[in-house]
Amino acid sequence: MKTVSVGTRQSALAQTQTRWVMDRLREFQPDWEWRMEKILTKGDRILDVTLSKIGGKGLFIKEIERALLEGRIDLAVHSMKDLPAEMPEGLVVAAVTPREDPRDCLISRTGAGLDELPAGSVVGTSSLRRQAQILARRPDLEVKPVRGNVDTRLRKLEEGRFDAVVLARAGLSRLGLEDQITEVLSFDKMLPAVGQGALAVQCRGEDASVLRLIRKINDPHAEKAVRAERAFLHAFEGGCHLPVAAYAQVEGEKVCLDGLVASPDGRRVLRDREEGNDAEAVGRRLAEKLLRLGAEEILSAVRAEVER
């Protein structure tokens, strides 16, 4: 019997997502023994600093990818939004899972939505992408960083440290916490992170038997949408924690991609749309549009601030 080790972060959400993938793979290969390997990542160890200030790129996956490259695990399950635009040589994303609702949602203590929160309300998020879009719409709110897993963030909200927090709806759904949601934020209010709502199943490119198996759970529509979004992100040479957002919809052969780059204070927001049949080309063309409008100036200022 072949034993397959599946790497994942230690959070409850990561384990829930990994069990779902393991269950799908077990349906195709019931005679293999499946074992979950929980790995502590830098992003999970350092909780008192915002993500953008401790490196951004790959904070939740580097240790897991190292385990893959060293052969300590056979495959890994990541939230696609945590996966940087570039991967180490030798690793591949063998499958993109069917996508959950990619929208963000607001959870408030009083039941007020984003537009109804009183001026001066404190909203918790460690994402510059979310911060920028919140302040662009509601410059009278105060955005403060909040780290930790979903339960930790909800507890901090209940304790009164924040008036509201913003989280991904997909994670709440997978944890069975949708009843906590005050408002699902429309794409007009907030574009999601690249790949949000999808899972990436990663393995070594040379591991043919595992690669073939994983491909069986790939969702072609989700994969095409994510390829467009990741090409958009890659054009900015950016990590997952820059104030960059994108969401692609696949309609037949056509990909429709909305993308955004914004200053963290929300004062400058560049947003546009591109469509076409070639997913990567659509992503690159949209990025070029925003670069011509001044996206590099915004992102250079963000990088300089992080380095300081």
Side-chain angles (χ1 to χ4, degrees), residues 124-135:
T125 176
S126 287
S127 161
L128 292 181
R129 171 189 64 82
R130 289 172 177 153
Q131 174 183 312
Q133 294 183 83
I134 291 168
L135 293 177

Side-chain angles (χ1 to χ4, degrees), residues 264-276:
D265 61 10
R267 292 179 182 175
R268 290 192 67 190
V269 177
L270 308 177
R271 180 168 177 165
D272 212 324
R273 168 177 279 207
E274 186 64 48
E275 59 184 49

Side-chain angles (χ1 to χ4, degrees), residues 6-307:
V6 184
T8 182
R9 291 169 59 191
Q10 295 186 355
S11 72
L13 176 58
Q15 292 183 54
T16 297
Q17 294 173 165
T18 301
R19 287 191 196 96
W20 184 90
V21 169
M22 291 170 68
D23 287 345
R24 302 291 81 71
L25 294 175
R26 193 180 285 113
E27 292 173 5
F28 293 102
Q29 203 67 57
D31 55 335
W32 287 5
E33 181 180 346
W34 296 88
R35 185 177 65 201
M36 185 186 299
E37 185 75 25
K38 291 169 276 190
I39 298 172
L40 184 64
T41 69
K42 181 178 180 181
D44 294 312
R45 288 197 311 272
I46 304 174
L47 297 174
D48 58 347
V49 182
T50 58
L51 296 174
S52 60
K53 292 182 179 179
I54 53 174
K57 291 185 180 181
L59 288 171
F60 296 111
I61 68 162
K62 282 185 178 178
E63 289 84 353
I64 299 173
E65 289 185 328
R66 187 178 303 119
L68 255 182
L69 290 168
E70 293 174 355
R72 290 183 281 123
I73 59 175
D74 300 292
L75 61 108
V77 180
H78 309 287
S79 291
M80 179 61 81
K81 66 185 179 69
D82 292 334
L83 204 64
E86 294 184 4
M87 282 188 297
E89 186 176 350
L91 300 184
V92 296
V93 172
V96 178
T97 65
R99 199 171 196 175
E100 292 272 357
D101 188 335
R103 290 176 295 176
D104 286 303
C105 61
L106 182 95
I107 303 173
S108 73
R109 287 193 295 120
T110 63
L114 180 60
D115 292 337
E116 290 74 46
L117 286 170
S121 295
V122 179
V123 181
T125 176
S126 287
S127 161
L128 292 181
R129 171 189 64 82
R130 289 172 177 153
Q131 174 183 312
Q133 294 183 83
I134 291 168
L135 293 177
R137 189 174 186 89
R138 290 292 310 273
D140 58 329
L141 299 179
E142 183 177 0
V143 178
K144 288 188 175 181
V146 56
R147 295 288 313 282
N149 58 33
V150 172
D151 287 340
T152 299
R153 297 184 191 204
L154 292 178
R155 185 178 69 251
K156 290 178 179 179
L157 176 67
E158 291 171 5
E159 291 171 352
R161 301 193 206 180
F162 302 92
D163 297 300
V165 293
V166 179
L167 297 167
R169 185 179 186 183
L172 291 166
S173 176
R174 289 172 180 137
L175 289 171
L177 295 173
E178 284 189 294
D179 60 338
Q180 301 284 317
I181 296 172
T182 302
E183 178 188 6
V184 177
L185 300 172
S186 67
F187 295 123
D188 289 337
K189 289 184 179 180
M190 185 171 293
L191 272 186
V194 166
Q196 187 160 301
L199 303 179
V201 189
Q202 189 182 42
C203 69
R204 293 180 294 276
E206 64 184 21
D207 197 341
S209 61
V210 171
L211 181 60
R212 281 196 303 271
L213 175 62
I214 296 172
R215 288 297 295 171
K216 293 181 179 180
I217 66 169
N218 184 64
D219 183 284
H221 279 77
E223 180 190 25
K224 189 168 186 176
V226 167
R227 280 194 285 115
E229 294 168 18
R230 286 173 62 77
F232 175 75
L233 177 64
H234 183 69
F236 300 116
E237 300 179 353
C240 318
H241 303 294
L242 288 174
V244 175
Y247 176 57
Q249 299 177 78
V250 178
E251 302 169 359
E253 294 298 315
K254 187 171 70 173
V255 178
C256 300
L257 176 66
D258 286 280
L260 173 149
V261 174
S263 61
D265 61 10
R267 292 179 182 175
R268 290 192 67 190
V269 177
L270 308 177
R271 180 168 177 165
D272 212 324
R273 168 177 279 207
E274 186 64 48
E275 59 184 49
N277 293 342
D278 185 319
E280 283 87 355
V282 168
R284 289 191 297 268
R285 285 201 305 271
L286 182 55
E288 288 165 4
K289 276 186 179 180
L290 297 193
L291 286 167
R292 288 194 295 270
L293 293 172
E296 185 53 42
E297 179 185 346
I298 292 173
L299 296 178
S300 293
V302 172
R303 295 186 188 103
E305 178 62 27
V306 168
E307 289 174 6

